[in-house]
Amino acid sequence: MRAITIHDTRSGALLPLQPRDPGRVSIYACGPTVYGRIHVGNARPFVVFSLFKRFLQHEGYEVTFVANVTDVNDKIYDAARAAGIPSEQLATEMTAHYVDDTDGLGLGRPDHEPLARATIAEIVALIALLIERGHAYAVDGDVYFDVRSYPQYGELSHRDVDQMDQGEGVSGAALKRDPLDFALWKAWKEGEDTSWDAPWGRGRPGWHIECSAMAEALLGVGFDVHGGGSDLVFPHHENEAAQTCAAHGEPLARLWMHNGMVRLDGEKMAKSVGNIFLLHEALATHGRDALIAYFAAGHYRQPISYSGERLEEAERSVQRIRELGRRLDPTAPSPAELTPLRDGFFAALADDFNTPRAFAAVFDWVRGANRLIESGTAVGGEQLREMLQVLALDNLLDAADGAAGPDEAARELLARREAARAARDFAAADALRDELAALGWTVRDGAAGPELVPR
Ligand SMILES: [Zn+2]
């Protein structure tokens, strides 16, 4: 197996991927909080970790990919109240939308998509263990994690304990022993329509403990890769890491892999900022192929801006691959001289999952193949398909196979255009070219003769 390195947030270093169980990689990535339709920014971790899984599978690993759904959360209570519907109903509806919207990406589903609501027993057990070990305390029906009881706190986000703010505002401030402590369980309050019984009183879990419990329930402690957006490093992931390690004396995950934000006009795309493009709208506008190409063109760790220019570029990339797809010869092998580009593609992905470098290798391959075809060499697409499969764009080649190419009428127009050109009747040839354009075909004149390429 190829050596794979990943940038690990905790150590700040590129670390080799060394799975807990040889040959098997387990990934947990934080999914959305379902209080509205997801936007393009929410879709990025889904795309990044789905593609990462495909790469690992290509490398021969068995992969278990878990992406949770946060369906119990303050934001859901607030949104449900504003909409005048029960919070469970809102969460259920938005979870269904999330599944539909991400289905539109054509990346398949994660192996498990746990719901917080369905993990309450595990969450309560984990909180009980933290209380028993002296890392948490119950007060007036709330339970808080005692941050000062866990000296490694801050190691993931590299923050100084005294400069942290849990972002819980005034909620529970009077009950906390230390402002740094954060909620594991929140006592039921007037107006909240969802709650569960627990030894310390009726209430509901805090967000961070939900993920610790869901990840542990499905992957065990010490799984391979914990992922999510870089905006989750603190406090969400810092708290997940602290809870699990404090409870079990063992780190939650071996590697922490964070994707950068999607930005719009220089700002993080976020519902709270109000600068969002919804995923299902982006899919309807640009199509899933261009959207996947758009994401793959950016390094997962870097912010990526959502702009018309970037999307058009992605659409052009997709078009170039489709066009080459139609020129490939299914009976021919991929030329040996292009093999280093294919190898470069996989080497780039093994180096901290560098999809832009990998994508560049795809286009070098496309250029090389076009050049060979122009010079009359038949080119097979096996290598291209292998690369595109990992990027979930191999369908671009199927479209070329399946679309059956130009029909009889188009082929006849092309033949008449050739005859007109041979007779040097360029006005007639141009008119025939326009007729072909009206049918959706562009004539490309190459060394191997003219061919029809969809417009
Ligand atoms: Zn999470």
Side-chain angles (χ1 to χ4, degrees):
M1 276 176 181
R2 209 185 311 258
I4 296 172
T5 54
I6 289 297
H7 182 270
D8 167 50
T9 303
R10 177 169 43 200
S11 61
L14 278 178
L15 296 183
L17 177 72
Q18 289 169 328
R20 173 185 61 184
D21 310 315
R24 306 172 67 101
V25 178
S26 41
I27 303 171
Y28 182 94
C30 290
T33 299
V34 281
Y35 66 108
R37 296 292 283 265
I38 68 162
H39 57 70
V40 173
N42 302 134
R44 194 177 189 192
F46 190 95
V47 173
V48 165
F49 293 101
S50 294
L51 296 184
F52 185 51
K53 173 184 170 178
R54 294 171 86 95
F55 168 57
L56 295 175
Q57 286 177 321
H58 175 274
E59 299 302 297
Y61 289 101
E62 248 184 75
V63 183
T64 306
F65 170 35
V66 179
N68 74 292
V69 173
T70 299
D71 63 341
V72 178
N73 185 286
D74 282 334
K75 287 177 180 169
I76 300 172
Y77 287 104
D78 294 345
R81 207 172 290 127
I85 58 172
S87 63
E88 184 168 358
Q89 185 190 334
L90 177 75
T92 304
E93 283 174 16
M94 288 306 158
T95 302
H97 278 309
Y98 160 71
V99 170
D100 279 350
D101 293 350
T102 46
D103 269 350
L105 291 165
L107 295 170
R109 300 307 312 165
D111 300 285
H112 301 279
E113 299 181 271
L115 303 173
R117 196 176 288 279
T119 318
I120 300 294
E122 290 87 344
I123 294 169
V124 168
L126 186 56
I127 296 174
L129 187 58
L130 284 165
I131 294 176
E132 187 188 312
R133 303 245 151 120
H135 290 293
Y137 54 93
V139 45
D140 283 4
D142 285 359
V143 180
Y144 294 97
F145 185 87
D146 180 355
V147 168
R148 304 271 178 196
S149 76
Y150 181 72
Q152 301 97 303
Y153 194 80
E155 67 172 359
L156 178 68
S157 58
H158 309 284
R159 287 176 187 229
D160 178 19
V161 149
D162 294 309
Q163 317 225 312
M164 293 184 188
D165 179 350
Q166 294 290 356
E168 293 182 353
V170 293
S171 157
L175 303 175
K176 292 180 183 182
R177 289 183 191 160
D178 189 304
L180 207 52
D181 297 349
F182 59 89
L184 300 176
W185 189 264
K186 299 179 184 183
W188 177 83
K189 283 179 215 58
E190 191 66 46
E192 291 178 355
D193 61 2
T194 314
S195 58
W196 292 267
D197 283 321
W200 40 85
R202 196 161 179 80
R204 63 198 165 89
W207 173 35
H208 318 304
I209 197 76
E210 294 175 354
C211 275
S212 280
M214 285 187 274
E216 182 188 339
L218 288 160
L219 300 174
V221 175
F223 60 86
D224 298 307
V225 178
H226 194 312
S230 57
D231 55 339
L232 299 183
V233 174
F234 184 87
H236 186 52
H237 289 168
E238 188 73 58
N239 292 351
E240 279 186 44
Q243 292 158 170
T244 299
C245 197
H248 297 294
E250 211 190 312
L252 177 61
R254 296 159 80 95
L255 290 173
W256 290 82
M257 186 173 170
H258 288 103
N259 64 270
M261 297 294 99
V262 173
R263 295 172 149 260
L264 192 68
D265 303 327
E267 264 199 279
K268 168 182 155 186
M269 189 183 285
K271 212 167 281 175
S272 53
V273 182
N275 60 345
I276 56 172
F277 276 88
L278 296 179
L279 175 60
H280 72 102
E281 290 168 350
L283 283 166
T285 308
H286 303 288
R288 62 77 69 183
D289 298 338
L291 216 51
I292 301 291
Y294 157 76
F295 280 120
H299 192 286
Y300 79 90
R301 278 208 280 143
Q302 301 300 322
I304 180 172
S305 56
Y306 189 77
S307 67
E309 204 179 316
R310 286 288 196 108
L311 267 300
E312 278 162 29
E313 204 176 293
E315 281 167 17
R316 280 196 300 274
S317 301
V318 160
Q319 195 52 31
R320 274 161 68 200
I321 296 170
R322 262 202 206 104
E323 282 176 17
L324 173 63
R326 295 193 181 87
R327 311 178 82 194
L328 294 171
D329 181 346
T331 63
S334 290
E337 62 184 281
L338 298 182
T339 306
L341 296 172
R342 174 220 167 266
D343 294 345
F345 174 92
F346 288 103
L349 295 183
D351 177 13
D352 195 23
F353 200 50
N354 193 326
T355 55
R357 218 170 79 210
F359 216 24
V362 167
F363 288 104
D364 287 343
W365 200 99
V366 168
R367 246 189 309 278
N370 276 322
R371 209 163 37 231
L372 287 165
I373 293 168
E374 309 283 332
S375 70
T377 308
V379 171
E382 196 188 314
Q383 290 181 2
L384 182 60
R385 182 175 289 279
E386 185 186 2
M387 295 186 275
L388 293 177
Q389 203 277 330
V390 168
L391 297 178
L393 289 172
D394 48 322
N395 60 305
L396 297 177
L397 303 181
D398 296 336
D401 300 339
D407 61 9
E408 188 97 358
R411 285 203 303 273
E412 197 196 308
L413 287 173
L414 181 65
R416 282 169 54 197
R417 174 180 174 270
E418 286 322 289
R421 275 161 56 94
R424 305 191 69 77
D425 184 352
F426 295 114
D430 284 353
L432 287 157
R433 188 197 57 206
D434 292 345
E435 273 188 65
L436 280 162
L439 291 177
W441 298 99
T442 298
V443 181
R444 180 154 52 196
D445 294 301
E451 59 178 334
L452 293 175
V453 177
R455 277 154 58 81

